[in-house]
Every structure is written in C-alpha cells, then in structure tokens.
Amino acid sequence: MMVSTKSGPVREPIADRMYKVLLDQFIAGERVAGSPLNIGALSRELDVSQTPLREALARLEHTGLVRREALKGYRVADALSDREIGKLFEARAVLEPALTLEAGLRTTPEFLETLGAAVDELDHSASSADTRAEGFQHYWRADDAFHRLIAAQSGNPFLEQALLALGGHVQRFRMFSKRGQTGAGHAAGEHRLIHQALERRDAEGAAELMRRHLAEAKDRILAPGAR
C-alpha cells in the first residue's frame, strides 16, 4: 500500500500492513478466540517474511488481542468471561461519566460537529452491525471514535489515559465475546442522547446519560440468552 505525502508516495511498512490485516481478520471472525498464530504458517499464508509478522504480533499483544506463551508462541486471546465483562464495564462506569462531565464543560462547535458525525456513523452502521463483518467493523470504529472524542475533550490527560489503557480489553470483548448481538440500534440512540445533552451544554445530564448507557449496555450483554 502506498501513502501519499508532499514529497511523493511512501510505501506503508509491511509490519503496519500486517497489523491491519490481522486486526481485520479478528474483526471478521476469521481467527477465533484461543486459536494459535504460528508465525511460519502466517508467513506462508500472507506471503511475507517472519520479521514484520513478529513486529505486528508484538503490537497486537500490547493491545490484549493476542497472547504469547512460553515455548508455545502466539495465540489469539481468549474471550472475556461474564465476570471480566462485568468488571470491565464497572471500570468504564467510573471513568467515562467523569470524562463526559469534563467534556461537557469544555464543548466547542468543532467538537460537537465531530462527535455528531460519529453518532451519524453509528446510526448508519446499526442495521448491519450484527449481520455483516463490514457493518460490525463500521459500527465498532464509530463507537470507539465517539468515546475517544469525549475523553480527549475532557482536558484531563490522566483520566483519558486511564480509559485508553482499557482499549485493548474493550476490543477483545467486542471481537471475541461471541454474544451474537451488539445492541447497535439501542446503543446508537443512547449515544445520540448524550450528544444532544452536550449540545445543550448540560454537562451533568450528559454524564448521567453516559452512566446509564454503560449500565444498559452491560445488562444487554449479560442478559440470559444474549450469547
């Protein structure tokens, strides 16, 4: 893949390309939780040398999506248990309402416009998030952008970094939990309500809506029959 710059096209590093290829395969469900990632086999399958693959797998290990075991090599991370999912949402419920409150006190027209675009993307992807890999990827990236935008707007780099540190676990949950339904339609509406509260400069209301969104998302995921 070529990337254009002012000085001309620059070839994308192979390790970066392999990172994206493997990540897309995880999103599409082509490599399931717990499956081995043999570097030799991957090298032959993807027709690249082992060095960029090792770099890509090391980066994926840092996100939590890949695990490395002594004498065994790499494998795709296991799915989160119900208990781990509950604890992950508890951690988010501590951080994200506070981030939303701070962002609500610092809104700008540019921030609200960008956040609104992320909500529109969530709306557009909701109908296909549970039926098509591309739709799920679209939905997941829009959802991730929404939460990251709010964190960045908070003006609190310590809270923001704490949330970003959970990013790999959130990705792992999304990709490998095999719950069957994203609840995309409900989630898109909940995100829009948060955006509307921020537009009204109702920081406390937006924070409460974020808290409610996370609680309802956890309930949908862990409800009997959600698997």
Side-chain angles (χ1 to χ4, degrees), residues 50-203:
Q50 294 188 14
T51 299
L53 278 171
R54 290 181 189 279
E55 183 178 336
L57 287 168
R59 288 172 58 192
L60 287 164
E61 181 186 12
H62 183 69
T63 70
L65 296 174
V66 163
R67 291 284 184 265
R68 181 174 55 181
E69 298 178 340
L71 305 178
K72 293 184 179 180
Y74 289 99
R75 65 179 177 85
V76 181
D78 292 327
L80 292 171
S81 66
D82 284 358
R83 182 179 183 280
E84 288 173 322
I85 290 171
K87 293 300 181 182
L88 175 60
F89 272 88
E90 286 176 15
R92 293 182 66 185
V94 170
L95 296 170
E96 295 203 58
L99 286 163
T100 305
L101 176 65
E102 294 300 323
L105 298 174
R106 295 169 175 78
T107 57
T108 64
E110 295 77 16
F111 163 68
L112 292 170
E113 181 179 0
T114 306
L115 194 68
V119 174
D120 290 340
E121 290 298 310
L122 280 165
D123 280 340
H124 294 157
S125 64
S127 62
S128 61
D130 294 314
T131 59
R132 295 171 52 240
E134 296 85 356
F136 174 70
Q137 184 173 1
H138 188 185
Y139 166 80
W140 167 68
R141 293 192 187 284
D143 179 72
D144 187 60
F146 179 89
H147 289 274
R148 285 175 179 262
L149 284 165
I150 289 176
Q153 190 66 23
S154 72
N156 188 324
F158 302 103
L159 277 179
E160 181 184 3
Q161 286 302 314
L163 180 65
L164 294 179
L166 297 176
H169 300 293
V170 174
Q171 289 184 27
R172 179 180 162 205
F173 150 68
R174 285 168 172 156
M175 294 181 195
F176 304 140
S177 61
K178 303 301 180 187
R179 298 286 154 169
Q181 297 292 323
T182 62
H186 292 288
E190 291 162 7
H191 286 77
R192 188 166 295 282
L193 289 175
I194 295 168
H195 179 243
Q196 290 171 347
L198 291 170
E199 285 186 313
R200 297 193 302 270
R201 306 298 195 271
D202 181 6

